[in-house]
Amino acid sequence: MIKDRILTVEQMKACERRSEELGVPASQLMATAGEKLASHVMHETMADGQPDTPEVLILAGKGNNGGDGLVAANHLHRSGISTKIVLCCGKPTTPAAVKAFDSLNKDIDVMFYDGDNTHPWAEAIDNATIIVDAIFGTGFTGEIERDLQPLFIKLNTYAKRVIACDIPSGVDARSGQAGVLAVQADVTVTMHAKKLGMLLSPGKYFCGYIRVEDIGIPAAAMSDDPIMANEIYAKASMLDDLQLGKKFLTSRKPWAHKGTFGKLVCVCGCRRYIGAAGISATAAMRMGVGLVEVCSTGKVIDSLAANLYECTFNEMKADAEGYMTSENVPAILESLADAKALLLGCGLGHTPETEKLVAELIEKSPVPVILDADGINSLVPNIDVLLKKQSTVILTPHPGELARLCGVSQDEVLADRLKYTYGLSKKYGVTVVAKSSETIVCCADRTEVITAGNTTLSKGGSGDMLAGLIASLTAQTKRSSLINCILACMVMGRAAEVLSTKRSERGILTRDILAYLPFFLKHLEGGED
């Protein structure tokens, strides 16, 4: 069992394959998985509110997931628990599952699903006190097939309590996508390690309480396969606020001055997107950077200067539509001479000139570059310039921007967001912060899944705020980009969660979170709530 690490579907398959090579065959893994599953079911039968004579129904598919359920049935029957089985997709077809079926105790009542709600399988669902969902495993994608829909409707409507084997049927273990009729489990018993889709929306809301069980896969199975190189965790999201502050927030020495905390240059904004520049600069200041210089057009500066008193401003040349031109590269590089980081793209707009501007700055910047929004869109035509970078580059795409960076459709990205995030990071040697309801941060061969946040952040300006937080931390510290990105995501997400305990998620604006940040950071530092 792996305590902290999360596995992809492909990584789990690799573990099972290597396990076989190391002398632990699939049938042995299934025997252990079935035993562990049965143990959880027996524990549930003894919970408060359960009848003295519980009825357990196991819904089994034709693959190894169903085989786990069949093994569990034997253990439950031997323990004196009334157990029935419904074979939902016909008889088992995988070798290990066939072996489990052939070993079933003959006294166990086995029924076949046939789509007719008047037949015994439907009555068994009505009468069961606990139902074990062992229909589909981690290979499921898409929607429940039409002929199985009556089964899933019956299950989701009438089941009293559901324990899912490995992952609820109908949930995609890669993407977290859930079919319309996906099983709503109360408990999910997953084998060896959590699967990525169990942490992603909406799939995570179908899993209930997750228990990870050791099924005897050797530790050596985690090595000797390139697919295992990417190590995935969600450790930061498991920390409480005080642990988060203690682990990630650096101390501020009493004798420090603004130079101690670095200078950030923000190349952001255009006539149409003035607010993005203001939000990102404000976020950077709220996160503690020493000095922020906003390089933007005169129109943007005139609009922001009345409120951003703490910033300095550097007026850039603009075209007739109010977008910055590539003529500004020398002036920006001059500003970067004493800077620690460059934030590029928030509200920049996208024109042929911004494409040139972004490409030149990425190639020539002597300091880390945080690229967001239209900075990303402007990068796409010249993405290979990332191979010429002189310093660290951090990309912060939402799914649409990630799709453009990877040259695929948004649907393809949503089907396997980790694949494209990790691939982009690996190919270009950049840190990628793939934003969504859960954010995936990839840097080198380490991935962190950040689950903090709520629909408070489902508004314009949240991405600009995150970019500003990341840029601020990058300018202040010499820590890895991975750590800075994790902290920024966690601070923003947790601040939104805490603020929404007192206000509606609907009405909280980005500016409200920015105003709350000093109070929340004080809380993380161990001060007052």
Side-chain angles (χ1 to χ4, degrees), residues 152-171:
F152 280 79
I153 292 171
K154 184 76 172 177
L155 172 60
N156 285 322
T157 305
Y158 294 102
K160 298 177 181 66
R161 190 162 182 82
V162 177
I163 299 177
C165 177
D166 217 20
I167 191 167
S169 293
V171 174

Side-chain angles (χ1 to χ4, degrees), residues 399-465:
E401 292 161 350
L402 181 59
R404 289 190 280 278
L405 285 167
C406 296
V408 299
S409 70
Q410 184 167 314
D411 285 343
E412 288 175 281
V413 162
L414 292 175
D416 197 343
R417 199 151 51 97
L418 176 66
K419 170 186 171 182
Y420 292 102
T421 304
Y422 179 65
L424 184 66
S425 174
K426 193 77 170 175
K427 180 177 180 179
Y428 291 106
V430 297
T431 300
V432 182
V433 181
K435 300 177 293 191
S436 190
S437 49
E438 294 80 31
T439 294
I440 297 174
V441 184
C442 286
C443 180
D445 284 327
R446 174 67 184 259
T447 294
E448 188 83 14
V449 181
I450 308 297
T451 58
N454 55 30
T455 61
T456 296
L457 301 171
S458 303
K459 298 183 180 76
S462 296
D464 303 308
M465 174 168 53

Side-chain angles (χ1 to χ4, degrees), residues 144-416:
I144 305 298
E145 294 179 3
R146 181 180 294 274
D147 61 343
L148 286 174
Q149 289 178 5
L151 170 68
F152 280 79
I153 292 171
K154 184 76 172 177
L155 172 60
N156 285 322
T157 305
Y158 294 102
K160 298 177 181 66
R161 190 162 182 82
V162 177
I163 299 177
C165 177
D166 217 20
I167 191 167
S169 293
V171 174
D172 189 322
R174 287 181 176 82
S175 66
Q177 297 298 306
V180 174
L181 296 177
V183 173
Q184 180 67 62
D186 297 289
V187 178
T188 297
V189 182
T190 198
M191 311 307 169
H192 187 56
K194 290 181 181 178
K195 316 309 184 292
L196 179 64
M198 302 171 74
L199 279 78
L200 303 179
S201 294
K204 68 180 184 181
Y205 297 105
F206 289 80
C207 294
Y209 183 72
I210 299 172
R211 295 295 301 267
V212 182
E213 284 292 351
D214 183 1
I215 57 172
I217 292 177
M222 297 289 290
S223 59
D224 296 329
D225 193 320
I227 204 167
M228 303 303 298
N230 183 21
E231 296 189 20
I232 310 164
Y233 299 94
K235 290 184 176 181
S237 291
M238 300 300 108
L239 300 174
D240 63 33
D241 289 345
L242 294 183
Q243 291 171 329
L244 179 69
K246 184 176 181 181
K247 183 175 180 65
F248 285 103
L249 287 180
T250 56
S251 62
R252 293 170 72 89
K253 305 302 182 185
W255 55 86
H257 52 82
K258 64 184 179 182
T260 306
F261 302 118
K263 172 187 171 183
L264 171 66
V265 173
C266 298
V267 180
C268 300
C270 66
R271 180 183 295 173
R272 187 179 180 188
Y273 303 119
I274 294 172
I279 289 170
S280 56
T282 301
M285 290 186 289
R286 290 290 191 192
M287 199 66 217
V289 70
L291 184 63
V292 174
E293 178 179 325
V294 176
C295 295
S296 196
T297 66
K299 177 71 173 178
V300 174
I301 291 172
D302 290 344
S303 297
L304 297 180
N307 291 303
L308 294 182
Y309 305 126
E310 297 85 358
C311 290
T312 61
F313 297 95
N314 190 349
E315 185 171 347
M316 299 285 105
K317 295 177 182 178
D319 62 20
E321 283 72 44
Y323 299 103
M324 277 184 266
T325 68
S326 58
E327 295 176 71
N328 296 299
V329 170
I332 295 169
L333 291 175
E334 185 176 341
S335 291
L336 291 175
D338 60 344
K340 298 296 183 182
L342 167 63
L343 174 56
L344 176 57
C346 299
L348 185 67
H350 182 197
T351 69
E353 278 297 300
T354 63
E355 290 176 2
K356 294 178 184 177
L357 177 72
V358 167
E360 282 197 59
L361 288 175
I362 287 177
E363 182 176 352
K364 298 176 181 178
S365 175
V367 299
V369 180
I370 297 83
L371 196 67
D372 183 54
D374 275 331
I376 291 173
N377 293 326
S378 295
L379 170 67
V380 171
N382 307 298
I383 191 168
D384 285 345
V385 76
L386 290 171
L387 299 172
K388 301 178 183 179
K389 62 185 180 301
Q390 297 181 30
S391 190
T392 300
V393 172
I394 299 171
L395 306 176
T396 61
H398 58 54
E401 292 161 350
L402 181 59
R404 289 190 280 278
L405 285 167
C406 296
V408 299
S409 70
Q410 184 167 314
D411 285 343
E412 288 175 281
V413 162
L414 292 175
D416 197 343

Side-chain angles (χ1 to χ4, degrees), residues 79-98:
S79 298
I81 296 173
S82 176
T83 305
K84 297 179 180 179
I85 296 170
V86 173
L87 295 178
C88 302
C89 309
K91 289 186 177 181
T93 56
T94 64
V98 169

Side-chain angles (χ1 to χ4, degrees), residues 471-506:
S472 180
L473 291 168
T474 303
Q476 288 178 65
T477 74
K478 295 181 179 180
R479 295 183 306 184
S480 72
S481 59
L482 176 71
I483 295 298
N484 287 329
C485 291
I486 290 172
L487 177 57
C489 292
M490 287 296 297
V491 166
M492 185 176 77
R494 287 292 297 130
E497 289 174 357
V498 174
L499 192 56
S500 63
T501 61
K502 300 178 180 179
R503 305 182 188 182
S504 169
E505 294 178 27
R506 302 171 190 272

